[in-house]
Amino acid sequence: DGQCRGAAPGLGLQGRQRRAQIARLLKSSPLCLGSALVWPRSVAAHALDVSFYNLTTVALHDWQIYAEMRALAGDRFQLAFTDAHLPAVTCLPGQTLDEGLDVLQIMRDLHNFVSRFRYNLNEQLFVESGGATAGRHLKSVSIAHVANSLRVHGAGITDTTANFAYQLLKQKLFLFSQFLFDDHIKSRLIKEVRHVSAEQARAPQQ
């Protein structure tokens, strides 16, 4: 207990007693709840895994704080966490995530990304349109940026990203279908169809 006081001088008697109670609970035998056995240590580890991941996803700049909290919980209470897929866990101390736009940033403002960026087929990357910014530097998103985001956030973001993209495409296609039903557009399309048909009918005669 003296070692604990040395490690955390700000922890009072009540705090030490509460920590000891938590440690005893986590070391206890499985609890029988109905027909199921519940291991307190496993439940606590899973709950912390989920909480740390969700909190870090919301605030990427706090990733190191949650990583330290996770390590502290594992050391103090001997909790066995799952393999770390915690966002930014691959960054070393002193490093920051500065690999261009992050997939999560794009996902949170997907409409703006679609309107501001153009796809370069030759270079296989998205480049910010020159008219979309007044700055001298244009942002870009390449395959390397996407791969880095997957390493940082884990493969779990692919489902969320695909869902965001699907919802956006669904909305755009609906607007496009309504646009085609406009009388002015429909008349122009019919005129083009007649022109193409006439050219095709004239081609064999020539």
Side-chain angles (χ1 to χ4, degrees):
D1 193 37
Q3 184 179 359
C4 294
R5 285 196 297 268
L11 194 62
L13 177 61
Q14 185 177 2
R16 293 196 299 272
Q17 291 176 345
R18 185 174 182 181
R19 187 175 63 187
Q21 292 174 355
I22 295 175
R24 283 196 298 269
L25 176 61
L26 294 178
K27 293 178 181 178
S28 63
S29 302
L31 303 177
C32 183
L33 300 178
S35 60
L37 289 177
V38 178
W39 294 83
R41 181 176 298 179
S42 299
V43 173
H46 176 70
L48 289 176
D49 266 333
V50 173
S51 297
F52 289 149
Y53 185 92
N54 291 336
L55 290 172
T56 310
T57 303
V58 173
L60 291 176
H61 55 278
D62 290 334
W63 71 268
Q64 190 171 4
I65 296 176
Y66 298 120
E68 292 175 354
M69 292 171 63
R70 188 173 185 270
L72 182 61
D75 178 64
R76 292 291 177 85
F77 301 110
Q78 290 75 49
L79 296 177
F81 294 103
T82 57
D83 291 338
H85 295 292
L86 194 64
V89 76
T90 54
C91 296
L92 298 176
Q95 291 182 335
T96 57
L97 182 62
D98 189 15
E99 297 286 342
L101 286 178
D102 185 70
V103 170
L104 285 181
Q105 295 175 335
I106 296 173
M107 182 177 62
R108 289 168 182 157
D109 196 11
L110 192 56
H111 289 80
N112 189 30
F113 176 81
V114 171
S115 62
R116 292 177 56 189
F117 283 75
R118 302 293 180 265
Y119 188 67
N120 187 320
L121 187 61
N122 295 326
E123 299 293 334
Q124 296 289 303
L125 52 79
F126 290 94
V127 180
E128 189 175 18
S129 175
T133 178
R136 297 183 179 181
H137 302 281
L138 298 178
K139 297 177 181 178
S140 64
V141 180
S142 65
I143 297 176
H145 296 147
V146 176
N148 180 73
S149 295
L150 288 175
R151 286 195 303 269
V152 171
H153 302 294
I157 65 171
T158 55
D159 292 338
T160 305
T161 305
N163 182 57
F164 270 76
Y166 168 76
Q167 295 297 333
L168 178 63
L169 287 174
K170 180 180 178 181
Q171 179 183 1
K172 295 295 184 182
L173 289 175
F174 175 77
L175 293 176
F176 179 70
S177 65
Q178 296 299 313
F179 183 73
L180 292 178
F181 282 110
D182 183 84
D183 292 337
H184 179 69
I185 300 301
K186 186 185 296 185
S187 63
R188 293 291 299 271
L189 291 176
I190 293 175
K191 183 178 179 180
E192 291 293 333
V193 170
R194 291 174 178 172
H195 175 72
V196 172
S197 299
E199 289 296 328
Q200 291 177 344
R202 191 181 303 116
Q205 301 176 359
Q206 296 178 351

